[in-house]
């Protein structure tokens, strides 16, 4: 036992060390990373506010707008009209484009007209005069640029994490950097460093106050947008995202600070540095070591008001919805490819990602996953792993389960508290997985070591009950008791008719083969019917239902087994005949009643068996099958428990040694399967039986003669013989119609 405990301790410790090494970063398991991401998604989705933030409005380049103003890109004067409408009519606060304008608008054809004016039509005074008058209205980019001037508008652009073959590294004009890095300490922060960009036309960028990138190089391995970098580093300079640029605009803060943590006491450069926040005015945005935020989703698509761009241009949108709001111009049209996969929705507009970040920064609801969470996870795994390893060595499986669930509940509770109250995202999945692994290990170890109990159970019951019941008994050992118990059960006895004659005609080897060929399928039927074999008595079988496991359907299962045994025996007869064996017929008696069951015997030999008057009656019923010429006899209790069967009442009898009469029945078949003729025959016989018990001999005899004429049955002749006797020897007025048996 000590050796087993030490083995268990060492193996459990190895499991904890494995998880510690993963947490410390010595290796990374993709499965663990995936589970951690899913646990984050679960916490996020179960705590979504589900509210609409009306401070931020999305002007949507939707399908309706594209249908009205044409496919994208629109002519720039249309966008200029939209900006004039937003700022002059609706009085919005600020605007950001989740769109880049990298190519000039040549749709007006001014370049062609310039060529004509300089060449073919240079001497056409009327043309040149008219053209010079209308030319300013054809320069769509200048019109758009003019609408940008002196307004709080943030242009959008994107960085390129990689370059494709023959792809230009730089397109358009990159805006001025947020910060030119000169601090070597900050230079050590692992910001994302793209290799190129796609920006706006210089004319447009020079007339806009701000610009921010809208690409996301931090998409997780499963393709979901969980994090977003607020800062990227290009050519040694820091550039801010669209959402960060808009926040700087609305706070009127041109400067910002990076909140870093270091192991230096006096503020000088230390051996450790980690970025923890970006601070703008009175807004502190928690970020990770790469300058990325966990996107604070408010809910599914529609967490912000959407207004169609066509409604803005046509000035039919409600003024109160847009006044003094932050407007983001983006698209939900599938053809413009700005739909993303997120933890809250598989298809989610990219523009709403920026809206969530701005909203979360303003409300202070952005959650933080600081660098020290790695140390937290390491310590939690170490402490919990050590506690579980020690405790689970000395307790029962039930207590193991309770402790495991309690430990998991405490970890989850603390984690959710930190999530809700402190906005901290602490690791969860790996710790829970370690707890589960330790639980499975200790339960499995106990199972294999302690499975001797099951093997003992199988040795005790395996020859008597089917393996399925042994498995059920092992799953619910509290339901199994070897001690004596008294309960209602059903017992079955079967016996081969004329076995002595059969045995005398076969040599011992053939007799053994015959009995094995007969008893094996009979036993299989009993097992499949959830019966327990009590014993084999030569050619006889004794079985019972309702123990060791309680069976509310014990009577039904016993009767079904008896019927199947008769049917199976009919199937075996041709095979017996081929082997030169005599035909076998059996009688089956079933009785349902209160019996004593348990492990009984002596200190030398024990057997799990049933005892009692109800058991003895079952044996007597089997003995009467040959006297009544039937294959199965059941008592009245069995009959009442199986209403779907139709029965033939055979007689009222008292067995040897008992004075209380018993009504016995022969099962005829399922009610739904019995034909009309059989039902008529049963009714006639029961009428004859009623006449017989009323001493109406002539009426009973008439019914029985009619039945015997159409069907040979021993039971008809039995009653005809009795009627002849009672005619000659009237039983008297106190006769109760009970046949008193003097033999088994």
């Amino acid at each position: 036992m000590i050796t087993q405990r030490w083995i268990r301790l060492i193996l459990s410790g190895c499991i904890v060390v494995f998880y510690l090494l993963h947490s410390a970063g010595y290796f990374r398991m993709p499965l663990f990373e995936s589970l951690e991401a899913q646990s984050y998604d679960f916490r996020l989705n179960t705590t979504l506010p589900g509210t609409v933030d009306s401070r931020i409005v999305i002007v949507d380049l939707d399908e309706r707008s594209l249908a009205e103003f044409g496919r994208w890109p629109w002519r720039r004067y249309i966008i200029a009209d939209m900006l004039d409408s937003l700022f002059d009519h609706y009085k919005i606060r600020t605007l950001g484009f989740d769109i880049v304008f990298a190519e000039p608008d040549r749709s007006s054809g001014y370049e062609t007209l310039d060529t004509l004016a300089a060449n073919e039509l240079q001497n056409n005074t009327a043309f040149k005069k008219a053209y010079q008058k209308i030319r300013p209205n054809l320069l769509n980019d200048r019109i758009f640029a003019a609408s940008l001037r002196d307004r709080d508008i943030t242009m959008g652009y994107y960085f390129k994490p990689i370059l494709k073959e023959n792809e230009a590294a730089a397109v358009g004009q990159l805006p001025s950097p947020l910060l030119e890095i000169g601090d070597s300490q900050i230079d050590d922060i692992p910001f994302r460093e793209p290799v190129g960009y796609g920006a706006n036309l210089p004319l447009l960028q020079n007339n806009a106050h701000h610009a921010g990138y809208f690409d996301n190089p931090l998409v997780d391995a499963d393709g979901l947008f969980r994090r977003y970098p607020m800062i990227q580093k290009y050519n040694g300079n820091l550039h801010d995202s669209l959402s960060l640029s808009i926040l700087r605009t609305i706070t009127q803060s041109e400067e910002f600070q990076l909140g870093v943590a270091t192991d230096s006491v006096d503020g000088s450069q230390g051996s450790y540095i980690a970025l923890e926040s970006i601070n703008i005015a009175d807004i502190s945005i928690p970020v990770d070591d790469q300058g990325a935020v966990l996107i604070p989703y408010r809910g599914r698509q529609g967490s912000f008001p959407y207004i169609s761009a066509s409604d803005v241009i046509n000035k039919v949108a409600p003024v109160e919805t847009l006044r003094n709001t932050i407007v983001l111009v983006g698209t939900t049209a599938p053809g413009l490819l700005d739909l993303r996969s997120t933890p809250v929705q598989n298809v989610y507009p990219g523009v709403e990602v920026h809206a969530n970040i701005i909203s979360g920064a303003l409300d202070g609801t952005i959650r933080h996953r600081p660098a020290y969470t790695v140390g937290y996870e390491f310590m939690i795994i170490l402490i919990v792993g050590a506690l579980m390893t020690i405790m689970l060595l000395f307790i029962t499986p039930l207590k193991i389960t309770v402790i495991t669930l309690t430990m998991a509940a405490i970890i989850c509770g603390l984690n959710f508290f930190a999530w809700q109250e402190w906005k901290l995202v602490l690791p969860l999945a790996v710790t829970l997985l370690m707890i589960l692994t330790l639980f499975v290990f200790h339960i499995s170890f106990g199972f294999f070591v302690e499975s001797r109990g099951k093997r003992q159970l199988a040795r005790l019951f395996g020859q008597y009950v089917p393996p399925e019941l042994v498995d059920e008994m092992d799953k619910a050992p509290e339901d199994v008791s070897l001690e004596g118990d008294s309960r209602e059960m059903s017992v079955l006895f079967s016996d081969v008719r004329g076995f002595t004659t059969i045995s005398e005609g076969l040599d011992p080897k053939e007799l053994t083969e015959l009995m094995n060929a007969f008893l094996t399928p009979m036993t299989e039927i009993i097992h499949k019917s959830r019966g327990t074999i009590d014993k084999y008595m030569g050619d006889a079988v004794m079985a019972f239902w309702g123990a060791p496991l309680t069976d509310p359907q014990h009577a039904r299962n016993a009767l079904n087994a008896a019927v199947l045994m008769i049917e199976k025996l009919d199937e075996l007869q041709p095979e017996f005949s081929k082997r030169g064996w005599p035909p076998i017929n059996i009688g089956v008696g079933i009785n349902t009643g209160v019996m004593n069951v348990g492990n009984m015997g002596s200190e030398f030999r024990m057997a799990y068996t049933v005892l009692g008057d109800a058991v003895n009656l079952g044996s007597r019923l089997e003995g009467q099958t040959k006297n009544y010429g039937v294959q199965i006899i059941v008592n009245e209790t069995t009959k009442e428990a199986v209403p779907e069967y139709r029965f033939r009442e055979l007689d009222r009898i008292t067995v040897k040694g008992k004075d209380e009469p018993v009504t016995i029945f022969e099962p005829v078949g399922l009610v739904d399967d019995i034909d009309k003729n059989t039902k008529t025959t049963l009714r006639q016989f029961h009428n004859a039986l009623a006449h017989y018990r009323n001493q109406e001999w002539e009426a009973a005899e008439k019914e029985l003669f009619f039945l015997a004429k159409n069907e040979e049955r021993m039971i008809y002749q039995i009653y005809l013989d009795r009627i002849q006797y009672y005619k000659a020897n009237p039983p008297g007025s106190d006769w109760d119609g009970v046949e008193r048996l003097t033999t088994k």
Side-chain angles (χ1 to χ4, degrees), residues 154 223 330 378 401 611 685:
T154 301
F378 186 90
T401 303
L611 298 174
F685 177 72

Side-chain angles (χ1 to χ4, degrees), residues 188-201:
D188 292 334
I189 298 174
F191 294 112
R192 298 294 297 186
E193 298 190 43
V195 297
Y197 62 84
N200 295 281
L201 295 171

Side-chain angles (χ1 to χ4, degrees), residues 145 148-149 151 153-155 203-211:
L148 297 173
R149 197 175 302 122
R151 285 173 173 166
I153 295 176
T154 301
M155 303 299 288
L203 174 64
L204 303 180
Q205 187 59 63
N206 291 334
N207 281 276
H209 281 190
H210 308 284

Side-chain angles (χ1 to χ4, degrees), residues 37-279:
Q38 291 177 40
S39 75
Y40 170 82
D41 295 348
F42 175 78
R43 284 172 281 174
L44 178 66
N45 280 284
T46 54
T47 56
L48 289 174
T51 56
V52 176
D53 187 351
S54 59
R55 298 170 300 179
I56 304 170
V57 177
I58 295 172
V59 172
D60 189 9
L61 305 177
D62 55 6
E63 296 285 3
R64 182 156 63 89
S65 300
L66 297 178
E68 181 174 349
F69 295 102
R71 64 184 181 86
W72 188 262
W74 287 345
R75 296 181 181 184
R76 300 285 159 78
Y77 72 82
I78 299 176
I79 303 174
D81 287 345
M82 182 177 71
L83 293 181
D84 292 341
S85 176
L86 286 169
F87 281 94
D88 298 337
H89 178 70
Y90 289 105
K91 308 295 183 182
I92 67 170
R93 182 178 182 184
T94 187
L95 180 143
F97 280 106
D98 186 25
I99 302 167
V100 65
F101 301 95
E103 299 176 352
D105 181 357
R106 298 184 175 92
S107 61
S108 65
Y110 73 90
E111 291 180 327
T112 302
L113 294 175
D114 283 348
T115 302
L116 290 173
N119 295 289
E120 289 87 345
L121 299 178
Q122 63 178 329
N123 297 322
N124 191 325
T125 305
F127 168 77
K128 294 181 68 174
K129 183 178 180 180
Y131 179 52
Q132 290 300 321
K133 183 177 181 180
I134 66 170
R135 189 176 187 275
N137 295 327
L138 300 179
L139 302 177
N140 293 336
D141 286 326
R142 290 185 179 276
I143 296 172
F144 183 26
S147 70
L148 297 173
R149 197 175 302 122
D150 298 326
R151 285 173 173 166
D152 283 337
I153 295 176
T154 301
M155 303 299 288
Y157 67 97
Y158 62 91
F159 280 119
K160 301 176 182 180
I162 59 173
L163 292 178
K164 300 178 182 178
E165 187 176 358
N166 300 323
E167 182 182 9
V171 176
Q173 179 174 315
L174 189 67
S176 300
L178 179 67
L179 177 69
E180 295 182 2
I181 296 182
D183 189 336
S184 60
Q185 194 176 46
I186 295 178
D187 194 44
D188 292 334
I189 298 174
F191 294 112
R192 298 294 297 186
E193 298 190 43
V195 297
Y197 62 84
N200 295 281
L201 295 171
L203 174 64
L204 303 180
Q205 187 59 63
N206 291 334
N207 281 276
H209 281 190
H210 308 284
Y213 62 83
F214 51 71
D215 60 291
N216 184 6
L218 295 178
V219 180
D220 287 344
D222 56 5
L224 298 187
F225 275 49
R226 295 186 180 91
R227 297 191 301 153
Y228 193 87
M230 300 297 283
I231 295 175
Q232 294 190 63
K233 184 164 69 173
Y234 182 74
N235 283 346
N237 298 321
L238 298 185
H239 293 265
D240 52 346
S241 66
L242 178 65
S243 52
L244 181 58
S245 182
I246 291 174
L247 287 168
R248 291 173 56 222
T249 299
I250 61 178
T251 58
Q252 298 181 348
S253 174
E254 293 296 328
E255 296 183 358
F256 79 105
Q257 292 181 338
L258 297 178
V260 297
T262 179
D263 58 359
S264 173
V265 177
D266 58 1
S268 60
Q269 182 171 349
S271 59
Y272 167 81
I273 182 172
L275 180 62
E276 290 191 343
S277 66
I278 296 174
N279 305 309

Side-chain angles (χ1 to χ4, degrees), residues 338-355:
D338 191 32
L339 299 175
R340 307 287 183 246
S341 293
T342 69
V344 299
Q345 195 170 345
N346 288 333
V347 180
Y348 193 86
V351 64
E352 201 163 332
V353 171
H354 307 296

